[in-house]
Amino acid sequence: MTETLDTRSWRGVHVELLRRIQTKEWLPGAPIPNEADLAIEFGCARTTVNRAMRELAEAGLIDRKRRAGTRVALNPVSRVVLDIPIIRLEVEQRNASWRYTLLERAVCPAPVAISSRLGLDRETAMLHLSGLHFADNKPFLHEDRWINLSAVPGVERVDFSAISANEWLLQNARFTHGDITFSAEVAGESRAGLLSADPAAAIFVVDRITWDQGQAITSVRLSYAPGYDLHSKI
Amino acid sequence: MTETLDTRSWRGVHVELLRRIQTKEWLPGAPIPNEADLAIEFGCARTTVNRAMRELAEAGLIDRKRRAGTRVALNPVSRVVLDIPIIRLEVEQRNASWRYTLLERAVCPAPVAISSRLGLDRETAMLHLSGLHFADNKPFLHEDRWINLSAVPGVERVDFSAISANEWLLQNARFTHGDITFSAEVAGESRAGLLSADPAAAIFVVDRITWDQGQAITSVRLSYAPGYDLHSKI
DNA sequence: AGCTGCATTATGTGTGCACATATTAACGTG
DNA sequence: CACGTTAATATGTGCACACATAATGCAGCT
């Protein structure tokens, strides 16, 4: 029932070019015809071919250079797109009920490892929050967060036992970019206690720092309960 | 020295719209002017505004519906794009020398967990490969792979001690899509031996299955040596 | 009221054209 | 031959226009 797409639409051109690459009709590294020629072949405008090829280039399947032309990419990097939602939604998408508990709230200087990564002075007072997210009343992940007080006005007056920092910040603080790191760690005694897990268990950890222009907003470490996995399509 | 982009170019329009969203000048959930009006405001063609807004929609920052108009996204999902390169390149990007050793090669039926996930009969003979990737002569990751013989013609005759399966398949087998899973596991005795690691160490694991149309190509499990982390920009 | 169908409207896409820009090949000069 | 300059070329972008498509709401009917 796959409606054969007209090769005069950019989607049609896109799938046809994709086919030629995937079937190795056009070999990796080989040059492919220029936009104008393809437009003639498909009986469409150059703009349409351009749109199709732009998508392929974004996906990393072809390399394009002005004047030099377009080639099939030599090392086809698979590009994985992960959507990182609000934790509440992540839990609810698993058909589980979500609950959040604030464990600790303090205004104090952050560990040097944190403050230096954020480019802040080591004595700068920051807001430290520690909390647990539950899925169906079982610990789902531990959120350990430091917030730059001067970058998020009003954050000191928020009641983080009523709303998770994760959610409040995403809705109220603006950010332009961030760094994210995924790793595996042994739980250890303290985390094991929080997550009701074996201290020897392997924990999936996500570290994230977000920025607004050059200014650090927050650094957060999410420690998922054992058994968690993150998956996606390629 | 940031050259102020002309708002008559799509990039200029893009950053201006981005700014209005990030500064909450346009609040989450709020409708934003239609393309035609914005085109007049910016003194450019509607096509140009469309291009800028399409990028924002792809990034998940706005929601667009015909007739209903465009709104600032309510829950701004951060979208992380991970480039998964050939392992050799991943090692070389860390300025380390890469080396690969084939540990095992066998044609035999796969464990049920594997064959069922690939949608194959449990007695189907598959090619099993196990190998180690080294970075500067230290174990970097263990690759444990099952290949569907009938989907990859000629794979039986390849000398996988000369080229890693990872690299050969990416260059020679075609695939249309795949599933990828990231998780954390305790190393255990056997993997610890392979990776010269503590059996109690936490291991970052990537599971990947690739398909060509509906046909399973290969299932691979990458176990990274302790200390590995995967990072990216948001 | 409740339903149907049509007009309206915003986005989605295609076309033909123009010019911009990056890159390479060809050329000419010393 | 080595070099800098120039011309040719493929992609990148912008514009004005047109029509397609999906969603919405209104009008009119029962």
Side-chain angles (χ1 to χ4, degrees), chain A residues 201-220:
Chain A
I203 298 285
F204 191 82
V205 177
V206 178
D207 270 294
R208 195 164 61 213
I209 297 181
T210 52
W211 309 80
D212 181 26
Q213 321 291 359
Q215 192 178 37
I217 302 295
T218 182
S219 166
V220 65

Side-chain angles (χ1 to χ4, degrees), chain A residues 22 78 232-234, chain B residues 113-120 126 145-146 148 151-152 169-170 173-181 207-220:
Chain A
Q22 283 173 344
S78 342
S232 179
K233 308 274 182 196
I234 301 180
Chain B
I114 305 272
S115 55
S116 69
R117 276 208 301 166
L118 299 182
L120 297 173
M126 300 186 71
R145 185 182 291 272
W146 293 87
N148 181 359
V152 193
L169 281 170
L170 269 171
R174 67 172 194 246
F175 80 101
T176 53
H177 64 286
D179 296 318
I180 190 164
T181 304
D207 271 293
R208 196 165 59 214
I209 297 181
T210 52
W211 310 80
D212 180 26
Q213 321 290 358
Q215 192 178 39
I217 302 295
T218 182
S219 165
V220 64

